[in-house]
Amino acid sequence: MQTAVRKLRILFVAAEMAPLVKVGGLADVVAALPQALVARGHEVRVLLPAYRPLLTRGARRLTSLGDGRVSLAELRRPDLPCPVWLLETPAFMARDHPYSRPDGTAWADDAQAFGELGRVAAEIAAGKVLTDWNPDVVHCHDWHTGLAPVWMSLKATSAASVFTIHNLAFAGRFHPSILAELGLPESLNRPDMLEFHGDVAFIKGGLSCADELTTVSPRYAQEILTPEFGNGFEGLLRHRRERLTGILNGIDTRLWNPATDPLIEHVFDAADFSGKCLERRRLLQRWRVQESDKEALPVLASVGRLTPQKGVDLLLEALPELLHRRLRLVVLGSGEADLEQAVVAAARRWPDRFLAHSRFDESLAHSIYAGADMLAMPSRFEPCGLSQLYAMRYGTVPVTTAVGGLADTVFDADTVGLASGKATGFLMAEATVSDLIETVDRALQWHGDPRRWQALMRNAMGRDSSWAAAVRAYEKIYESALARRVDTLQAR
Ligand code: ADP
């Protein structure tokens, strides 16, 4: 029997949301999860910093806060799942990019800027900003929003807080003097609250104070309890482990659909791969590479932030060896300057075998997922990973490490076998150059047998990556957070 779901008012708070501002997977989740919640009848709003590029997009002023230097504007658009509240502060409005200045360094006023985001979220939660809308639950994402649960607990708001860890490697560490500057009690500078190796870490606000904690895959939820993946927070997380749940991310299956995607020219589905072959050709033509069907080389692609997390350095190191195989590589990524330079240098050295663009390009990302044969994701850690989910949906077979969400979503063809119906890709045991080469070799062997390869593609395309299961899991978390909130307030 189905139990009725209570309709909730949920305030999302985050630093990114697609398609308004996107650096990585966080943006996709902050768009797609609200969409799935709205479809279940919940009322959702997203509180997002008003970065400069968002200012001209037809937002309507809702209210001013404090001394009038800060205001809230509402954006409603058909491509957004719900109204978005833009937090207009001088610090955010000066930014073209959420995290980095044009020279690639971090903004100097991150603590003040994201401190303000957390404070305003808590004021909205307390009903102090808008009289006609206050949330039952505030759902915070990553360190940028870590102070919201702190303020909510200090002010004993009746709204519950949920904090989702998308990446524990980013902690938001600042000098402890920021507490006084933000009007927070200095008593928070202690190990069981915000103190972290002589600094304060905003993420600890979420980890210590939120009523419920989630992260984006069951495997990562286990991993972050260990020193290897816990980034120094494993003790605190172990202490709060009964509040920590791993919920696998979904994807927006309407936006990411090879049968209807407006960003590709030749649509296709699992019954007919001819469109995918044409997309492959179109992809290579972007680099003016022509090849006949007879001499076609398999395309191994990589789409992602250029950071050591993603193992791009392993891919580059393996390159001379990999290019001894019948293989072409396509890389799209931006990020750390040294890795960007290394990618550009490799593209110059092997101009028709290593095809790269070092920039952020949503449309090219769709073309790559559609046109490639395999996706390389040799990540050292991976909270969930969306790239492998998009790749699978477009019949591009992932070659990944067996960590975090990759281990939860990719099933090794040689281990589980085709007959299981579960095989979707190839897993490396460790993030090393030798494991990468060995695993690409196994994938190439399968690729050499078109019948088996197409069966693998179909398995990958058939994986249910929708939000259906996750949205129900989040509903349970929201209810549990509300129950815990009531208990906490009664115990005061
Ligand atoms: P992370 O969140 O760690 O960056 P994910 O795999 O969860 O990694 O999500 C990455 C998202 O960002 C995917 O939607 C991917 O397509 C996109 N992406 C990453 N780099 C680029 C880029 N240079 N151009 C276009 N899209 C990119």
Side-chain angles (χ1 to χ4, degrees):
M1 200 182 70
Q2 273 219 325
T3 45
V5 180
R6 177 157 56 137
K7 307 294 180 227
L8 297 173
R9 285 182 162 182
I10 306 156
L11 177 68
F12 270 56
V13 192
E16 300 177 36
M17 179 189 191
L20 297 172
V21 49
K22 172 167 170 179
V23 177
L26 171 66
D28 289 358
V29 173
V30 174
L33 179 53
Q35 163 132 330
L37 288 164
V38 167
R40 298 270 296 164
H42 302 288
E43 246 185 71
V44 187
R45 302 288 182 270
V46 179
L47 178 67
L48 191 72
Y51 309 112
R52 186 159 42 205
L54 303 186
L55 291 176
T56 52
R57 308 261 177 108
R60 178 179 70 93
R61 169 69 63 92
L62 282 184
T63 184
S64 323
L65 289 94
D67 61 4
R69 276 165 48 84
V70 174
S71 53
L72 209 56
E74 183 179 77
L75 193 58
R76 287 176 186 252
R77 283 193 344 204
D79 61 341
L80 298 174
C82 62
V84 172
W85 290 344
L86 297 171
L87 179 61
E88 298 175 341
T89 69
F92 285 136
M93 286 152 65
R95 296 181 177 205
D96 283 322
H97 184 279
Y99 315 127
S100 15
R101 290 191 275 221
D103 67 0
T105 57
W107 296 100
D109 55 0
D110 261 354
Q112 293 79 1
F114 289 112
E116 188 78 358
L117 181 67
R119 190 184 61 80
V120 172
E123 294 214 340
I124 296 174
K128 294 216 179 105
V129 178
L130 300 160
T131 45
D132 59 340
W133 204 94
N134 43 326
D136 301 300
V137 176
V138 178
H139 190 164
C140 304
H141 300 266
D142 272 356
W143 77 260
H144 318 98
T145 63
L147 293 191
V150 176
W151 281 111
M152 287 171 69
S153 126
L154 288 172
K155 304 216 172 229
T157 52
S158 58
S161 57
V162 174
F163 186 81
T164 295
I165 304 161
H166 294 260
N167 195 332
L168 201 55
F170 301 106
R173 282 175 73 160
F174 306 103
H175 192 273
S177 60
I178 190 65
L179 293 176
E181 201 182 323
L182 294 175
L184 283 164
E186 288 184 35
S187 58
L188 292 174
N189 186 18
R190 51 174 215 258
D192 61 335
M193 288 302 287
L194 299 184
E195 194 275 336
F196 190 64
H197 298 289
D199 288 334
V200 290
F202 278 18
I203 197 167
K204 281 191 78 179
L207 303 184
S208 321
C209 296
D211 297 304
E212 285 285 344
L213 300 175
T214 71
T215 189
V216 287
S217 69
R219 177 70 72 105
Y220 193 60
Q222 291 299 316
E223 288 172 347
I224 56 180
L225 303 178
T226 67
E228 191 185 353
F229 295 99
N231 291 84
F233 302 110
E234 59 276 9
L236 172 57
L237 288 167
R238 274 202 300 272
H239 178 64
R240 301 200 87 210
R241 71 190 302 169
E242 90 284 1
R243 294 181 191 239
L244 172 66
T245 311
I247 303 174
L248 204 54
N249 280 337
I251 61 173
D252 185 333
T253 48
R254 286 174 328 141
L255 275 182
W256 297 90
N257 181 353
T260 55
D261 190 340
L263 295 176
I264 63 177
E265 222 163 72
H266 309 283
V267 292
F268 59 93
D269 59 27
D272 179 1
F273 292 129
S274 50
K276 187 166 174 72
C277 294
L278 293 169
E279 274 302 307
R280 187 177 173 291
R281 191 171 298 166
R282 195 167 81 95
L283 180 64
L284 296 180
Q285 276 165 359
R286 287 178 185 257
W287 285 272
R288 300 195 167 72
V289 171
Q290 305 273 358
E291 65 178 18
S292 69
D293 287 345
K294 250 170 107 190
E295 63 191 22
L297 300 181
V299 172
L300 175 67
S302 159
V303 179
R305 292 178 296 113
L306 297 181
T307 69
Q309 174 194 339
K310 301 286 175 185
V312 206
D313 52 317
L314 302 175
L315 198 60
L316 290 167
E317 212 181 309
L319 205 50
E321 181 64 33
L322 287 177
L323 290 179
H324 283 133
R325 278 84 176 148
R326 297 191 70 259
L327 191 64
R328 239 187 266 282
L329 280 96
V330 171
V331 173
L332 171 64
S334 59
E336 295 183 14
D338 53 339
L339 286 169
E340 283 193 6
Q341 281 156 17
V343 164
V344 170
R348 280 211 197 99
R349 181 158 170 212
W350 292 284
D352 63 342
R353 301 285 301 282
F354 184 83
L355 317 173
H357 276 309
S358 181
R359 62 167 190 255
F360 191 92
D361 186 334
E362 185 77 18
S363 161
L364 180 54
H366 282 245
S367 295
I368 292 177
Y369 295 128
D373 297 290
M374 305 162 193
L375 181 88
M377 227 166 143
S379 305
R380 292 187 165 86
F381 67 96
E382 196 58 76
C384 176
L386 295 179
S387 294
Q388 85 280 11
L389 301 182
Y390 297 139
M392 284 193 269
R393 185 117 167 102
Y394 287 72
T396 295
V397 175
V399 174
T400 76
T401 28
V403 291
L406 298 172
D408 284 335
T409 58
V410 178
F411 297 96
D412 189 278
D414 282 317
T415 310
V416 299
L418 255 192
S420 72
K422 281 197 180 152
T424 51
F426 298 90
L427 289 174
M428 310 156 47
E430 304 266 343
T432 61
V433 172
S434 56
D435 275 10
L436 175 59
I437 293 169
E438 185 262 340
T439 313
V440 170
D441 278 342
R442 288 198 292 118
L444 285 173
Q445 234 175 19
W446 276 69
H447 188 269
D449 178 344
R451 200 185 44 83
R452 285 207 311 165
W453 187 258
Q454 287 190 6
L456 200 52
M457 288 168 74
R458 285 198 185 93
N459 280 356
M461 292 178 87
R463 179 181 191 277
D464 179 6
S465 293
S466 74
W467 278 95
V471 78
R472 287 173 174 78
Y474 277 109
E475 284 172 344
K476 283 202 184 122
I477 295 292
Y478 296 150
E479 287 297 342
S480 160
L482 280 162
R484 287 188 193 276
R485 194 67 174 178
V486 170
D487 288 349
T488 310
L489 292 178
Q490 279 172 353
R492 273 181 176 237

